[in-house]
């Protein structure tokens, strides 16, 4: 074997996963087609649950140092969501360009000696009972690499997914849009905060103009002119200039286009995330309209769900079926994001009937219950994994933000020794008088009192047989 795990793709998903594997002491390498970082960012935010997960590893502080702003609350198709109703240290989004998150994650891989092989593209893939063979084309030609497992975190057009032949049902894009980072001439009327413009008749296509600092603005648009254009055709400066229509009562003046690209509202999800020794994560497993700022967050959280399970599998310490729970837990979460982004896509059409619907939706979202429901979904804070055959408890399957810097599990209890799992589970004081077992990804997999049964079963199920 050349390594234990090959991670294909040095985007936010692959880099998070590589860090999780490194933390667990598993040998991994990352293949990245691009010869160097582009510095370009599609995503601009970390949702509260992603911030919590980085915090639990002790990785958030340096990320916050690179952030641009804190965005109060979230939004659903531009309608505000109040995150302050949640019990979280992060009732806001961290406004940070994706490239800065990637840079942080890639730099910290050095701590584990995990190589990121840039300019190396996965071009072929085969698996057998003993491992995976990846065909890699790089600066010195084409060669094979052998590993026990391979994870396709290679984005929406994933070669891994295509080579596997896994179904990717859903629908193609109906709407074509442009994302551009532009430098605009100074003007008092330019927005200074991250706000979506109102959806109004006659304002079709302008979705977003927000400051990223140093005169750079993120501009998202997609009017009638953009429809039907091939996704890979270059975005022209004239196209951007024409789209910078009088926003906020004036027409911004374009100085420079830093980068621009097209995207659509295509919505598809891989049928299987776990395919023998090959797994899919992030955009390789799901693509959708970027409404609400969820895609990067979904991918990073896929990686936090998968990393410790795959590490246990590689070490031969996993109970049967552990790896499969990556699919059973994360596929429904991805499906829910696809549903909500499709719904948001409809609500963003500036049509009179849709505006009527938006008015009603805005009224509904202003009620505490609806806000909690939708904000829970967009923020990632409402995720609750099924914990079969475990005594019921209100905390079961929910997140419990606790420091987990070791990447091991955590038993909050004082009187239930976990000696046979001591190498995999840390122990700390009880949680509000109760005993709680937390998985490495921060979700509760057993809770109760000293008399509640099932602790040994939960330890075995999630952390492997006793030693
Ligand atoms: C306009 C726009 C705005 C967005 N805004 C947000 C937002 O605000 N918030 C949010 O959460 N999400 C947002 N997203 C979504 C977010 O950018 C993606 O979900 C995220 O990039 C997915 O990360 P990933 O690591 O799974 O895939 P990617 O970021 O696509 O990374 C995949 C990597 O794999 C590499 N690769 C591909 N094929 C191969 C191969 N064969 N061999 C080796 N390497 C390969 C690629 O070069 C790339 O570096 C937005 C998306 C768009 C289009």
């Amino acid at each position: 074997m050349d390594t234990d795990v090959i991670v294909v793709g040095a985007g936010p998903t692959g880099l998070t996963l590589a860090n999780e594997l490194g933390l667990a002491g598993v040998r991994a390498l990352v293949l990245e087609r691009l010869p160097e970082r582009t510095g370009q960012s599609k995503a601009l935010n970390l949702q509260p649950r992603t911030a919590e997960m980085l915090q639990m590893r002790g990785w958030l502080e340096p990320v916050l140092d690179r952030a641009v702003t804190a965005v109060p609350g979230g939004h659903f198709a531009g309608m505000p969501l109040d995150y302050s109703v949640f019990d979280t240290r992060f009732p806001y989004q961290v406004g940070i360009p994706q490239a800065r998150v990637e840079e942080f994650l890639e730099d910290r891989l050095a701590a584990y000696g995990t190589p990121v092989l840039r300019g190396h593209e996965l071009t072929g893939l085969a698996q057998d009972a003993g491992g995976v063979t990846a065909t890699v084309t790089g600066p010195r030609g084409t060669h094979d690499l052998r590993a026990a497992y391979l994870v396709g975190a290679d984005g929406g057009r994933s070669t891994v997914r295509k080579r596997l032949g896994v179904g990717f049902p859903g629908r193609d894009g109906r709407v074509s849009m442009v994302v551009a980072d532009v430098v605009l001439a100074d003007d008092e009327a330019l927005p200074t905060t991250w706000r979506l413009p109102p959806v109004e008749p006659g304002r079709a296509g302008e979705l977003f103009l927000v400051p990223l600092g140093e005169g750079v603005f993120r501009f998202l648009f997609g009017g009638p002119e953009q429809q039907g254009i091939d996704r890979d055709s270059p975005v022209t400066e004239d196209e951007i200039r024409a789209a910078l229509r009088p926003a906020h009562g004036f027409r911004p003046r374009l100085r420079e286009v830093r980068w621009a690209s097209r995207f659509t509202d295509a919505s598809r999800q891989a049928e299987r995330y776990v395919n023998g020794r090959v797994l899919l994560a992030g955009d390789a497993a799901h693509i959708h309209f970027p409404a609400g700022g969820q895609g990067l967050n979904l991918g990073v959280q896929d990686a936090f769900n998968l990393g410790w399970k795959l590490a246990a599998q590689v070490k031969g310490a996993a109970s049967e079926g552990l790896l499969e729970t990556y699919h059973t837990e994360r596929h429904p979460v991805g499906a829910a994001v696809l549903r909500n982004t499709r719904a948001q896509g409809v609500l963003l059409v500036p049509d009179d009937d849709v505006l009527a619907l938006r008015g009603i939706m805005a009224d509904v979202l202003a009620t505490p219950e609806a806000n909690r429901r939708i904000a829970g979904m967009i923020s990632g804070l409402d995720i609750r994994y099924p914990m079969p055959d475990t005594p019921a408890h209100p905390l079961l399957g929910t997140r419990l933000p606790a420091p987990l810097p070791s990447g091991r599990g955590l038993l909050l209890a004082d009187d239930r020794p976990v000696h046979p799992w001591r190498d995999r589970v840390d122990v700390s004081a009880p949680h509000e008088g109760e005993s709680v077992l937390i998985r490495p990804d921060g979700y509760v997999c057993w809770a109760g009192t000293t008399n509640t049964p099932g602790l040994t079963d939960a330890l075995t199920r999630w952390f492997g047989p006793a030693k």
Side-chain angles (χ1 to χ4, degrees), residues 141 339 354 464:
R339 274 197 302 278
V354 174

Side-chain angles (χ1 to χ4, degrees), residues 9 12-13 32-33 43-45 98 122 154 159 283 295-297:
T13 305
E32 170 53 55
R33 172 164 62 191
L44 291 179
N45 68 323
Q98 175 168 340
L122 176 108
D154 50 342
T159 305
D283 278 16
L296 171 147
N297 290 271

Side-chain angles (χ1 to χ4, degrees), residues 8-15 31-34 42-45 47 98 102 120-123 153-160 178-179 218 220 262-263 281-284 286 288 290 292-299:
V8 187
T13 305
L15 292 171
L31 297 176
E32 170 53 55
R33 172 164 62 191
L34 299 176
K42 290 181 286 182
L44 291 179
N45 68 323
Q47 293 285 357
Q98 175 168 340
E102 291 171 358
H120 287 75
E121 178 173 4
L122 176 108
T123 48
D154 50 342
R157 301 184 193 191
S158 169
T159 305
V160 174
V178 169
V179 53
R218 164 59 51 88
L220 287 190
R262 298 183 196 280
F263 66 98
D283 278 16
H286 36 68
H288 55 81
Q294 301 170 86
L296 171 147
N297 290 271
L298 190 58

Side-chain angles (χ1 to χ4, degrees), residues 445-458:
C445 58
W446 176 91
T449 64
T450 43
N451 299 322
T452 307
L455 177 57
T456 305
D457 288 348

Side-chain angles (χ1 to χ4, degrees), residues 114-159:
T114 303
V116 178
L117 303 181
R118 291 198 159 268
H120 287 75
E121 178 173 4
L122 176 108
T123 48
L125 175 65
Q127 60 172 318
D128 52 56
V132 183
T133 304
T135 305
V136 182
T137 304
R140 286 191 298 279
T142 297
H143 63 283
D144 284 349
L145 284 175
R146 185 93 178 138
Y149 287 86
L150 180 143
V151 181
D154 50 342
R157 301 184 193 191
S158 169
T159 305

Side-chain angles (χ1 to χ4, degrees), residues 141-424:
T142 297
H143 63 283
D144 284 349
L145 284 175
R146 185 93 178 138
Y149 287 86
L150 180 143
V151 181
D154 50 342
R157 301 184 193 191
S158 169
T159 305
V160 174
R161 190 188 65 235
K162 289 175 189 161
R163 293 278 160 172
L164 277 170
V166 177
F168 198 42
R171 66 157 175 80
D172 289 335
R174 293 176 183 155
V175 177
S176 276
M177 299 193 62
V178 169
V179 53
D181 281 355
V182 295
V183 181
L184 300 176
D186 252 355
D187 197 309
E188 279 181 355
L190 281 168
T192 53
T193 55
W194 291 23
R195 283 225 181 93
L196 297 178
V199 175
E200 293 167 353
R203 301 255 316 240
E206 181 214 323
L207 206 64
F208 209 85
L209 182 70
V210 298
L212 301 182
E214 295 165 5
V216 181
F217 286 77
R218 164 59 51 88
F219 185 35
L220 287 190
F221 65 94
E225 304 77 12
Q226 278 68 47
Q227 306 318 310
I229 297 183
D230 179 59
R231 221 197 105 178
D232 294 319
S233 73
V235 179
T236 66
E237 247 186 63
D238 283 349
E239 195 180 349
I240 296 173
R241 199 167 274 115
L244 279 168
R245 61 172 58 87
H248 316 276
F250 80 113
R251 182 184 288 275
R253 278 168 298 134
L254 182 64
R255 283 256 162 90
E256 185 192 331
V257 179
R258 290 276 167 91
W259 72 279
S261 149
R262 298 183 196 280
F263 66 98
T264 75
D265 64 342
S267 186
R268 294 184 177 276
Q269 187 176 24
E271 266 166 358
R272 300 256 344 129
Y273 285 17
V274 180
N275 302 274
R277 292 176 171 272
V278 182
L279 303 104
L280 296 170
D283 278 16
H286 36 68
I287 55 166
H288 55 81
F289 190 46
Q294 301 170 86
L296 171 147
N297 290 271
L298 190 58
V300 168
Q301 291 178 42
D302 283 349
F304 274 116
N305 187 287
L306 173 59
W308 62 280
K309 295 174 182 173
L310 185 54
Q313 185 76 19
V314 167
K315 291 175 183 169
S319 285
E320 206 182 324
L322 179 70
L323 200 52
E324 179 60 21
T325 66
Y326 166 60
H327 173 81
T328 52
E329 292 181 349
R330 292 306 294 172
H331 192 276
V333 174
V337 171
L338 261 66
R339 274 197 302 278
N340 87 49
T341 48
R342 287 172 81 152
Q344 291 188 75
V346 172
L347 285 165
L348 284 165
V349 175
D351 159 289
D352 282 338
D353 290 357
V354 174
L355 292 173
L357 178 59
R358 283 182 71 87
I360 289 170
M361 277 293 296
D363 284 349
V364 171
L365 282 178
T367 65
E369 203 175 322
N371 174 72
R372 182 170 266 279
R373 180 86 175 256
I374 306 296
M377 187 168 72
I378 303 285
S379 63
L381 292 172
D382 74 342
I383 291 167
R384 180 168 201 161
Y385 296 127
M387 296 290 161
D389 308 325
T390 310
H393 189 282
L395 289 178
L396 204 62
T398 65
R399 62 187 239 287
L400 199 144
L404 299 169
S406 67
R408 290 193 288 270
L410 180 64
L411 179 68
L412 302 177
D414 49 11
D415 54 354
R416 291 263 196 142
V418 290
H419 286 298
W421 287 272
R422 265 286 155 87
D423 58 329
R424 288 157 277 170

